[in-house]
Amino acid sequence: MAQVTEVSYRFGMTNKPSVAIIGSGFSGLAAAIGLKQAGYDDFVVFERAEGPGGVWRHNTYPGAACDVASSLYSFSFEPNPSWSRPFAPQPEIRAYLERCVEKYGLTGHMRYGTEIASAVFDERSGLWTVETTTGERSTHTVVVAAGGQLTRPSFPNIQGRTDFQGTSFHSAEWDHDHDLTGQRVAVIGNGASAVQLVPQIVDRVRSLTVFQRSAEYLIPKPDYGHATWEHRLYDRVPGALKALRGAWWGIGEYANPALTLPMSRAVRHAYLAPLYLASKAQLRLQIRDKDLRRKLTPDYQMGCKRILLSSNYYPALARENADVVTDSITEIAPHGIITADGTKHEVDTIIYATGFQSGGFVAPMTVRGLDDRDLDRDWGTEPQAYLGLTVTGFPNFFLMYGPNTNFGGGSIVYILESQARYIVDAVRTLAARQVAYMDVRPASFDAFSSEAQRRLANSVWATGGCNSWYTNDKGKVTNNWPGLMSEYRRRTARVNPADYRFVPAAR
């Protein structure tokens, strides 16, 4: 057993709440910068990696890039006029987050190479004890879980997966030492990661086979290298970059009603007609083979799964050395993949582009609240949180990118800023009231959960005819918000004290 070491994290303002932030991607940095700007210096950011960035540090597969315009997929208070492209590649996003750490004075608050194993609340002291995987412990008034929804790679449960004798890895754990040149490569999955990496590797492999469960809606990606005059415009003309950000925000906000509101299939189709037209036109123009086009045509409503942006995925699949297999995989053999039709596909390398475990939110960390309640056990397969932020029985504990805070249209960074503001207001409220802790009232928690599920029951994610990571195994939408981005910003503008019970410190 690891030796337990008590560690003190204090930064000169011990009369104010101490905050532990777990994770240093966009979520954790939004919270840290928010606290810093509000005058709260007593916080520490725990990060298991050796630097900040979260998914933008870990995902280094070829072609990794943002599929939301970078002018919107960035902090509103830290615009970047120097993005090389409208949709920035992974190295630039990572560098952007690293600059934010330096610029906003967070370096001294960062604890890299530190993975958190557990967070346990003590009712008598009103403090959380946070323990690392190496046994170090520290106590904090507030814990912010900022690990995100898309951090733990998901592997399919396929018979024989561990028996494969070639090379295999997940797209989020790319093996850069493995040379794909001349290899027979299988890509299992055809979501956002596959759409980006397949065009980057198809030219150097002997053969590339994409194993697809269901087709995706792809619309052209308006991406290109920014010209010098554009950089000068965004840098020197006040409001130019803000206007661009606003335009992309408006496009996402326009799409959200078609995803969230109760609409018939025909009405949704009409509402999203420009996107349907763009998707269909691109497929017809780039895929001439009718059989391949049929394989790549979705059979569910647009928006039920994530709408993908790409202008080079279809041309990659149209190459002579590429193939798309839609028969389900029944087994992975030592030297290939066997599908339901009995075919054995001989391959040298398997790349799992199979996404992430999106339902745990705090896993593998253990979180225990009042009466030793375990958060994962309480949730089971139906995670829920008030405004996606707090859970009854877990005082002073806040989630970022928690249940029901994902969006089909728009930028999650916009939502993370909203959550950071709410958390800062909660810390401010705790300090002003001089209480031990605040715990969301069961009535508020239940009312929000009921409202969210009532609205989501008629959303495209629940009725659109697909299976996606937005829902659990019962078809309940656990990840997505039921309305507009602007509604979320409004509802998280500040803490409503009536939603919480405040417990005074023990004397």
Side-chain angles (χ1 to χ4, degrees):
M1 180 179 293
Q3 182 179 0
V4 173
T5 305
E6 298 291 341
V7 180
S8 177
Y9 294 113
R10 299 291 172 179
F11 298 91
M13 300 183 72
T14 56
N15 60 316
K16 294 187 177 182
S18 170
V19 182
I21 300 170
I22 302 169
S24 70
F26 272 103
S27 300
L29 296 187
I33 294 170
L35 288 168
K36 193 81 170 180
Q37 292 180 328
Y40 293 93
D41 285 328
D42 191 356
F43 65 89
V44 60
V45 181
F46 295 103
E47 170 55 55
R48 61 178 176 166
E50 295 303 324
V55 296
W56 295 109
R57 184 179 186 86
H58 298 300
N59 283 265
T60 59
Y61 59 82
C66 190
D67 58 3
V68 175
S70 296
S71 54
L72 182 59
Y73 194 83
S74 52
F75 294 128
S76 63
F77 53 82
E78 185 58 28
N80 179 21
S82 302
W83 297 118
S84 66
R85 317 178 66 84
F87 298 83
Q90 174 266 336
E92 288 188 39
I93 301 173
R94 173 178 168 176
Y96 171 85
L97 293 173
E98 291 172 343
R99 289 198 303 273
C100 286
V101 170
E102 294 293 330
K103 179 174 180 177
Y104 291 93
L106 303 182
T107 302
H109 297 268
M110 311 301 289
R111 294 296 178 269
Y112 299 125
T114 306
E115 183 173 3
I116 301 302
S118 66
V120 179
F121 185 72
D122 178 63
E123 185 174 4
R124 289 180 298 176
S125 66
L127 296 174
W128 286 90
T129 296
V130 171
E131 184 171 346
T132 71
T133 53
T134 59
E136 292 185 342
R137 290 178 178 173
S138 57
T139 56
H140 307 270
T141 317
V142 173
V143 171
V144 178
Q149 295 184 18
L150 307 175
T151 57
R152 293 179 299 140
S154 175
F155 288 89
N157 184 21
I158 301 174
Q159 179 182 342
R161 185 171 69 82
T162 58
D163 297 331
F164 183 63
Q165 293 183 9
T167 300
S168 63
F169 51 87
H170 196 280
S171 60
E173 300 170 333
W174 194 268
D175 185 351
H176 290 278
D177 294 328
H178 179 59
D179 187 4
L180 295 176
T181 304
Q183 293 266 301
R184 296 170 298 178
V185 177
V187 175
I188 298 179
N190 63 309
S193 300
V195 163
Q196 293 183 343
L197 71 89
V198 163
Q200 303 301 316
I201 66 174
V202 68
D203 286 338
R204 54 193 171 100
V205 302
R206 174 180 169 186
S207 65
L208 188 148
T209 305
V210 174
F211 291 84
Q212 170 186 290
R213 284 197 304 177
S214 61
E216 307 281 355
Y217 282 101
L218 264 70
I219 59 177
K221 188 176 184 179
D223 200 25
Y224 60 92
H226 277 308
T228 302
W229 70 264
E230 290 178 280
H231 287 143
R232 289 175 178 170
L233 174 69
Y234 298 140
D235 187 38
R236 300 176 184 179
V237 178
L241 191 55
K242 187 175 182 179
L244 179 64
R245 177 184 176 89
W248 280 111
W249 182 91
I251 292 171
E253 196 75 330
Y254 169 82
N256 281 321
L259 310 179
T260 60
L261 294 179
M263 294 181 180
S264 68
R265 187 184 186 105
V267 172
R268 277 205 179 99
H269 193 287
Y271 192 100
L272 295 175
L275 299 185
Y276 271 107
L277 180 61
S279 178
K280 186 175 181 179
Q282 178 171 241
L283 179 59
R284 179 169 291 276
L285 290 171
Q286 294 183 340
I287 301 295
R288 298 295 186 178
D289 183 273
K290 291 183 179 180
D291 289 336
L292 180 56
R293 192 189 305 156
R294 176 183 50 80
K295 290 180 180 180
L296 297 174
T297 300
D299 60 359
Y300 52 86
Q301 295 182 52
M302 179 178 280
C304 184
K305 297 176 68 174
R306 185 177 182 182
I307 302 171
L308 303 179
L309 276 69
S310 177
S311 298
N312 58 3
Y313 182 63
Y314 288 153
L317 297 182
R319 297 289 299 271
E320 290 186 1
N321 66 330
D323 190 20
V324 176
V325 174
T326 57
D327 293 295
S328 60
I329 298 173
T330 57
E331 182 182 353
I332 294 180
H335 300 286
I337 295 174
I338 301 173
T339 49
D341 62 350
T343 302
K344 182 178 180 181
H345 305 265
E346 298 280 352
V347 296
D348 305 306
T349 300
I350 298 176
I351 300 171
Y352 292 95
T354 45
F356 299 87
Q357 302 175 49
S358 59
F361 295 101
V362 297
M365 179 176 66
T366 298
V367 178
R368 289 195 173 91
L370 296 174
D371 302 319
D372 202 36
R373 291 172 56 179
D374 183 282
L375 184 56
D376 264 338
R377 188 167 57 241
D378 275 13
W379 274 345
T381 60
E382 298 186 3
Q384 51 191 329
Y386 174 67
L387 295 174
L389 282 159
T390 62
V391 181
T392 300
F394 296 84
N396 295 0
F397 181 84
F398 298 92
L399 295 146
M400 297 193 74
Y401 204 4
N404 297 120
T405 59
N406 189 64
F407 277 79
S411 168
I412 190 58
V413 178
Y414 180 87
I415 303 307
L416 299 177
E417 283 193 42
S418 302
Q419 294 177 336
R421 293 174 186 178
Y422 188 93
I423 292 168
V424 169
D425 194 43
V427 171
R428 187 183 294 115
T429 301
L430 283 168
R433 289 177 174 247
Q434 296 185 336
V435 295
Y437 61 83
M438 54 191 290
D439 188 22
V440 63
R441 295 184 183 277
S444 298
F445 179 88
D446 293 340
F448 171 78
S449 297
S450 297
E451 176 206 348
Q453 290 308 312
R454 173 180 53 79
R455 295 170 63 182
L456 288 165
N458 294 310
S459 68
V460 70
W461 306 304
T463 63
C466 74
N467 294 316
S468 75
W469 63 272
Y470 300 147
T471 63
N472 66 6
D473 54 3
K474 299 177 183 177
K476 184 176 181 179
V477 182
T478 56
N479 289 64
N480 288 8
W481 175 253
L484 302 177
M485 290 187 290
S486 53
E487 178 191 354
Y488 192 82
R489 174 61 62 92
R490 173 180 57 80
R491 294 181 67 167
T492 56
R494 61 183 58 85
V495 170
N496 181 0
D499 289 327
Y500 292 85
R501 65 183 185 95
F502 294 89
V503 177
R507 296 184 180 278

